[in-house]
Amino acid sequence: MTKVSMTVNGKAVSGEVEGRTLLSSFLREGLGLTGTHVGCDTSQCGACVVHVDGKPVKSCTVFAADVAGASVKTIEGMANADGSLSVLQQAFQDHHGLQCGFCTPGMVMSSAALLAENPKPTEHEVRHHLEGNICRCTGYHNIVKAVMAASGQDVSAVAAE
Amino acid sequence: MPKDHGIGASLKRREDVRFLTGRGVYTDDMALHGQTYAVFVRSTVAHGRIKSVNTAKAAAMPGVLAVFTGEDFKDVGGNPAGWLINSRDGTPMREPKRPVLAHGKVRHVGDAYAAVVAETYAQAKDAAQQIADDSVIEELPAIVDMKAAVADASNRVHDEIPDNLCFDWGWIEDNRAAVDAAMQAAPHKVTLELVNNRLVPNAMEPRASIGEYNPGTGDYKLTTTSQNPHLTRLLVAAFVLGIPENKLTVVAPDVGGGFGSKIYHYGEEALVLAAAKKLARPVRWTAERSESFLTDAHGRDHVTKIELGCTKDGQILAIRTETLANVGAYLSNFSTATPTFLHGTLMAGPYKVPHVYVNVKTVFTNTAPVDAYRGAGRPEATYSLERIIDKMCRELNLDPFEVRRKNLLTPDQFPYTTPVGLVYDTGNYQATLDKAMAMADVSGFAKRAAESKARGKLRGMGLSTWIEACGIAPSHLVGILGSRVGLYDAATVRVNATGNISVMTGAHSHGQGHETVFAQIVAEKLGIPESSVEIVHGDTSKIPFGMGSYGSRSLAVCGTAMTKAVDKIIAKGKKIAAHMLEASEGDITFEDGKFQVAGTDKAKTFGEIAFSAYVPHNYPLETLEPGLEETAFYDPANFTYPAGAYICEVEVDEGTGKVDVVAFHCADDFGNVMNPLIVEGQVHGGVGQGIGQALLEFTTYDENGQLLTGSYMDYPMPRAEDVPFYNVDYSCQTPCTHNPLGVKGCGEAGAIGSPPAVVNAVIDALHRGGHTHVKHIDMPVSPSRVWSAING
């Protein structure tokens, strides 16, 4: 066991981990931050996406020990300081961009990373960016719509083509 | 101005806030004091005889607390099939026992034959590997292909079932001769052989279960990923472990999607309960995704020959089908109903067809169990029917839109008794067809096709006019058809002392938004704000005995029970108001949240009535009980029949065979719509699944029964780039005639109606491109299949 320290959602944290402990396990079991979900064994589904030093990372693919000293942000850290939903979270609710909610944390974290780099993504750019995030409920329509709406684009006329 | 509250408002979902902030609580999110970890030892061969399971070394490993094998459960009950199907000759289906852990034989890759419970997950995992190393399983030839399974009587999934046949079902057997004669006499006959591809459900939350046992009281608790906690409790308690139901609480907390795969009781649930009792500690298990692929009940997997007899101008005269349906290694709970009464009864579609006969042979194989998945039987029926109608149009050079219009039932023909045992209560199929054609701008297709051609692509348009029977289900009818359960539902409406309300529902929400939309309905009926209504679901210690959520039943069945319970609340409220206002009960009216003596200004608010009910200082107790809480059970009189028309446009790259869905239009009739925002989302998701099935989703077992598509790196889940924005309309509404809300259900529509629209569009594109030799391509219509068809 080794001790790791990092910043999670702005707070300094530390814990004892094995070398093989994944960041997703450290967050969920070590820190009780269960908003980060694990939906597959192969780094494909994207439910576990968090930000490490501002970059989106699949936390089931990273050892906790490897991100010692880093700044980690999870879905629990995405709301505004007063607890209200951020613009992106609010857009997901406004446009019904989630159903069962299981993929949602990863969708929000991935989308936030996109908007940080590309503040006005096209439909194609949103869809392409989310290729590592799987949703079985929504058919993606309202997720794409929510991300575009969060970037300030008018999505009222969205339909096929 | 659209409504901003109550029935019909596009209210934003209240449950979203917890999911968007990471505060949802799914089964695996729970940490319990003293918890232990279960890991299952699963067969790596598809078919094998268990020679020995040696657990001694594993039991001595660090942290190991208990080890279980099939021997430990050989005397408890099996996981039962919920539906008895009789074969054409009247003999009952074959029902092999489905044990908690395999005993004697393993029957599919992933079949669990032992389990370990340890202090940590890693310790349990290591010990499970040790048991696998120390066990001897003699591999037997795998039975994978259905035709071979039926043909070879010597190789058996279950030793006592010689031809691997569960049943040979005819629907309706008495009609067979008449159908054969009509087919024989038809001026034109069309034949199509097709495969409805096996799908892996892939709810994003893997299955998970936690067992707890209190040795002081003898109470058990199972927290599990279930769509129907009461049904799970009945199965695991009464049928498998023999625990009295009143000693077991089943909780299905936030559940990350189900789509059918979480209806069923699975052996892991029984194991964690038995282990929890043995250890008097919580025992938890969460599936890895590869376990989900190997052990969740899969969907579809039909091989069908369909024949259609018609006139030369496209009037359908007769339909006859023969289907082999894969049931996998064991009978999952609804597995025998899915290829029969959820499939055969739909084979007349929305059409006036005088003669229909359906034959289904259901076959055991050494693959994962197959059961109801996202549409369940109805996508299979719709696909067969809509594909062969398109083939008929091509053979006779007829317009597919006009041929559908010619055959669709007309609004004056309802109620309509089909030749396959259903009574459609209402519909207007011409209206949804007209709407879809307008949405799709059918007349502008030639121009779009020319634009596609200029970009080097072949463009095609495909149509599907679909219907489903849902709102599952009238108990009296399903009882006749072999169901061993009733399919009513229940709700309790508890008005608390200060007028806020708790509604306990038998339905379970795992993405459907019940907490929002059910509150809208109660609020509207009682004239109070939604914020005063809380929906409680998923806990057998709180909710009445209802049957859960599947088959697009939540609103049509449980929503009706809830509506009836609210009506009882209003009736009781009138009694209380009559007492308080010293008036006759018959003179009390209830409107806008106020009980009033008709024709006077004497009135009591809903809140005043509620408070009085719990502070009944002067009640005439012989005629008026205190309290304001009512329960209603509702058993539907009939199925509901949503229907619609879907039009898909695709572009095909002739060089690579790749198909892109470039437009998808849905005109649906769901009856009355309670929350349009949620209804649209349900359709989007279903169509996304339908496109996935049509273009992407292969489930492939090799000849040894190994699942080659056992992870997200092999099984192509539809991703955001694979689908377009969908154009969805629900404005054609013929309200259901037999439930008070007039609702029909929308959860499965997209998955039922869309696959044939996609495939029809691909065939259309190829024909427009001159590849008229291509009559059919099986799903998934992958690039290699399209390329091979073009160049074959």
Side-chain angles (χ1 to χ4, degrees):
Chain A
M1 301 286 269
T2 42
K3 188 176 177 186
V4 293
S5 301
M6 63 187 83
T7 305
V8 176
N9 299 328
K11 285 185 201 151
V13 298
S14 61
E16 296 283 325
V17 297
E18 292 182 78
R20 64 181 171 183
T21 302
L22 300 169
L23 177 58
S24 53
S25 305
F26 180 67
L27 292 169
R28 288 178 54 80
E29 291 148 36
L31 303 179
L33 294 172
T34 56
T36 297
H37 294 156
V38 178
C40 73
D41 317 321
T42 53
S43 301
Q44 292 280 306
C45 81
C48 67
V49 171
V50 301
H51 296 174
V52 175
D53 293 331
K55 299 284 181 202
V57 162
K58 287 182 172 169
S59 63
C60 76
T61 316
V62 178
F63 293 120
D66 278 348
V67 296
S71 173
V72 175
K73 192 167 189 178
T74 71
I75 188 69
E76 287 91 346
M78 289 300 282
N80 296 323
D82 65 358
S84 61
L85 296 181
S86 66
V87 170
L88 179 60
Q89 289 168 314
Q90 188 61 56
F92 268 74
Q93 186 186 28
D94 291 348
H95 297 281
H96 188 25
L98 62 152
Q99 291 182 21
C100 81
F102 196 81
C103 77
T104 306
M107 288 288 178
V108 170
M109 300 310 290
S110 283
S111 302
L114 170 67
L115 295 180
E117 287 203 347
N118 181 355
K120 286 273 186 289
T122 64
E123 177 198 343
H124 174 72
E125 286 169 339
V126 175
R127 290 185 186 276
H128 183 68
H129 180 82
L130 292 177
E131 59 112 26
N133 291 79
I134 303 176
C135 170
R136 196 57 150 173
C137 293
T138 65
Y140 301 100
H141 181 112
N142 284 338
I143 293 173
V144 176
K145 203 170 159 183
V147 176
M148 294 177 75
S151 73
Q153 302 182 65
D154 179 7
V155 293
S156 56
V158 156
E161 294 196 303
Chain B
M1 213 22 213
K3 288 178 76 173
D4 62 0
H5 66 91
I7 289 173
S10 278
L11 218 62
K12 294 172 200 171
R13 300 197 325 167
R14 58 173 64 174
E15 42 274 80
D16 288 358
V17 176
R18 69 175 186 269
F19 296 137
L20 282 163
T21 54
R23 295 195 185 97
V25 181
Y26 302 84
T27 299
D28 189 64
D29 295 342
M30 296 178 189
L32 288 97
H33 180 68
Q35 66 188 2
T36 64
Y37 295 79
V39 168
F40 289 82
V41 187
R42 299 189 182 277
S43 178
T44 56
V45 300
H47 192 195
R49 205 165 293 286
I50 300 172
K51 293 295 195 186
S52 66
V53 182
N54 190 340
T55 60
K57 274 193 204 164
M61 287 172 71
V64 172
L65 299 166
V67 176
F68 299 87
T69 70
E71 194 68 22
D72 296 305
F73 294 96
K74 72 179 186 344
D75 297 324
V76 305
N79 189 356
W83 210 293
L84 172 68
I85 304 295
N86 289 320
S87 282
R88 293 192 288 134
D89 63 6
T91 57
M93 67 185 194
R94 278 84 164 255
E95 291 185 77
K97 184 177 177 182
R98 187 181 185 191
V100 174
L101 292 172
H103 187 247
K105 275 173 83 172
V106 285
R107 296 184 174 85
H108 65 94
V109 173
D111 202 2
Y113 60 92
V116 178
V117 180
E119 295 285 354
T120 71
Y121 174 68
Q123 288 167 335
K125 190 101 175 146
D126 289 346
Q129 184 58 51
Q130 187 67 49
I131 292 176
D133 293 347
D134 295 345
S135 298
V136 180
I137 294 178
E138 177 198 351
E139 186 167 3
L140 301 169
I143 300 152
V144 180
D145 178 72
M146 285 193 279
K147 286 178 183 163
V150 179
D152 180 4
S154 65
N155 196 10
R156 303 172 181 182
V157 177
H158 296 276
D159 295 352
E160 68 277 22
I161 300 176
D163 49 10
N164 296 306
L165 200 61
C166 181
F167 55 76
D168 174 0
W169 179 78
W171 191 251
I172 293 172
E173 197 57 26
D174 289 348
N175 296 348
R176 185 171 196 163
V179 175
D180 289 348
M183 194 67 78
Q184 189 72 30
H188 185 77
K189 197 168 121 181
V190 189
T191 303
L192 180 60
E193 293 188 30
L194 46 80
V195 173
N196 203 289
N197 44 326
R198 180 188 272 242
L199 303 177
V200 181
N202 277 308
M204 293 316 298
E205 179 203 21
R207 286 192 294 118
S209 301
I210 304 173
E212 294 173 75
Y213 180 72
N214 180 335
T217 61
D219 289 332
Y220 294 82
K221 182 177 176 184
L222 174 68
T223 305
T224 192
T225 48
S226 174
Q227 300 175 217
N228 31 247
H230 266 298
L231 193 58
T232 297
R233 187 177 75 165
L234 181 67
L235 290 168
V236 72
F239 285 87
V240 178
L241 293 179
I243 300 169
E245 287 139 273
N246 56 15
K247 302 303 282 180
L248 171 62
T249 296
V250 176
V251 176
D254 286 329
V255 172
F259 314 110
S261 69
K262 292 172 181 169
I263 297 172
Y264 324 115
H265 165 52
Y266 293 87
E268 291 89 352
E269 293 169 326
L271 187 287
V272 296
L273 283 173
K277 183 178 186 192
K278 183 168 183 176
L279 299 172
R281 290 174 64 179
V283 178
R284 63 186 304 143
W285 167 77
T286 299
E288 297 177 352
R289 180 55 61 183
S290 48
E291 288 183 284
S292 305
F293 270 99
L294 293 173
T295 67
D296 288 3
H298 293 179
R300 318 282 193 261
D301 207 350
H302 285 195
V303 176
T304 294
K305 179 184 175 190
I306 180 167
E307 298 163 286
L308 179 150
C310 61
T311 64
K312 296 283 187 190
D313 61 355
Q315 190 75 48
I316 305 169
L317 301 172
I319 289 164
R320 185 169 61 199
T321 71
E322 287 173 35
T323 290
L324 288 178
N326 200 338
V327 77
Y330 300 100
L331 295 182
S332 178
N333 302 135
F334 277 170
S335 60
T336 53
T338 305
T340 53
F341 291 108
L342 296 177
H343 166 247
T345 54
L346 247 277
M347 204 51 83
Y351 307 112
K352 188 167 179 59
V353 187
H355 297 286
V356 181
Y357 174 78
V358 176
N359 174 242
V360 179
K361 294 185 179 73
T362 294
V363 183
F364 291 104
T365 60
N366 292 121
T367 64
V370 180
D371 205 329
Y373 170 68
R374 214 167 186 177
R378 292 151 290 171
E380 294 91 316
T382 304
Y383 181 69
S384 298
L385 206 49
E386 292 303 298
R387 280 293 300 128
I388 199 162
I389 290 174
D390 241 51
K391 189 157 186 264
M392 169 181 78
C393 294
R394 294 205 180 279
E395 289 183 6
L396 295 171
N397 199 24
L398 299 170
D399 178 85
F401 293 94
E402 289 317 306
V403 163
R404 262 111 173 160
R405 193 181 302 283
K406 180 198 289 273
N407 285 286
L408 287 172
L409 291 162
T410 52
D412 58 310
Q413 290 173 313
F414 298 100
Y416 174 75
T417 303
T418 74
V420 275
L422 297 178
V423 181
Y424 299 163
D425 63 336
T426 183
N428 186 345
Y429 310 142
Q430 286 75 19
T432 44
L433 178 57
D434 289 342
K435 183 75 193 177
M437 289 176 72
M439 290 162 72
D441 182 21
V442 171
S443 56
F445 178 79
K447 184 163 172 274
R448 295 192 295 278
E451 287 164 5
S452 297
K453 196 171 180 185
R455 283 184 282 108
K457 300 284 178 73
L458 297 177
R459 197 177 185 105
M461 179 159 53
L463 168 67
S464 154
T465 43
W466 66 275
I467 185 170
E468 63 163 316
C470 66
I472 287 172
S475 296
H476 73 93
L477 186 56
V478 298
I480 295 167
L481 301 178
S483 176
R484 289 162 167 164
V485 292
L487 286 165
Y488 53 84
D489 218 289
T492 297
V493 176
R494 177 182 300 153
V495 182
N496 298 310
T498 60
N500 58 64
I501 290 173
S502 308
V503 182
M504 280 63 78
T505 68
H508 183 272
S509 187
H510 34 279
Q512 299 91 335
H514 295 177
E515 293 168 32
T516 300
V517 73
F518 283 12
Q520 287 176 252
I521 295 166
V522 173
E524 167 112 6
K525 285 192 66 87
L526 292 178
I528 56 174
E530 276 92 3
S531 58
S532 299
V533 183
E534 192 71 17
I535 305 299
V536 179
H537 60 101
D539 183 337
T540 60
S541 68
K542 296 177 182 167
I543 62 172
F545 193 105
M547 298 302 287
S549 292
Y550 42 83
S552 303
R553 70 191 306 275
S554 298
L555 194 52
V557 186
C558 187
T560 301
M562 183 181 76
T563 304
K564 287 179 61 165
V566 171
D567 288 340
K568 289 185 182 181
I569 292 286
I570 293 170
K572 173 87 181 277
K574 284 183 177 176
K575 275 190 180 184
I576 297 172
H579 164 68
M580 291 174 74
L581 297 168
E582 296 177 335
S584 159
E585 193 185 323
D587 291 338
I588 305 290
T589 61
F590 179 69
E591 211 170 323
D592 297 331
K594 211 159 64 171
F595 293 90
Q596 190 154 7
V597 183
T600 75
D601 59 357
K602 287 168 66 180
K604 292 284 179 191
T605 64
F606 186 76
E608 288 173 308
I609 295 293
F611 194 73
S612 155
Y614 292 97
V615 190
H617 286 160
N618 61 352
Y619 271 26
L621 296 173
E622 287 187 1
T623 55
L624 186 59
E625 290 176 13
L628 196 50
E629 172 171 328
E630 298 287 353
T631 295
F633 284 75
Y634 172 70
D635 203 323
N638 191 355
F639 292 95
T640 60
Y641 300 99
Y646 288 180
I647 296 174
C648 175
E649 284 190 30
V650 298
E651 282 186 344
V652 179
D653 185 320
E654 280 176 294
T656 64
K658 183 163 190 308
V659 176
D660 287 315
V661 175
V662 291
F664 206 103
H665 308 277
C666 305
D668 290 310
D669 176 0
F670 297 131
N672 293 332
V673 167
M674 302 291 107
N675 181 324
L677 187 69
I678 290 176
V679 166
E680 288 170 17
Q682 292 288 306
V683 176
H684 296 158
V687 175
Q689 170 62 79
I691 293 172
Q693 172 166 25
L695 297 182
L696 299 166
E697 296 185 39
F698 273 101
T699 306
T700 307
Y701 284 94
D702 72 7
E703 69 275 15
N704 299 316
Q706 294 293 336
L707 181 63
L708 300 183
T709 51
S711 81
Y712 288 148
M713 293 192 287
D714 314 294
Y715 185 92
M717 291 283 280
R719 304 192 187 220
E721 272 191 296
D722 298 317
V723 293
F725 281 129
Y726 319 102
N727 190 11
V728 173
D729 179 90
Y730 45 84
S731 64
C732 302
Q733 298 180 352
T734 59
C736 173
T737 59
H738 53 82
N739 67 50
L741 296 170
V743 295
K744 294 184 174 180
C746 64
E748 298 162 294
I752 292 168
S754 59
V758 177
V759 178
N760 288 344
V762 174
I763 302 296
D764 185 57
L766 297 184
H767 278 243
R768 287 172 191 274
H771 307 293
T772 52
H773 65 285
V774 181
K775 308 300 181 199
H776 177 68
I777 304 174
D778 272 325
M779 299 189 292
V781 181
S782 63
S784 74
R785 284 181 171 178
V786 173
W787 190 91
S788 300
I790 291 173
N791 296 287

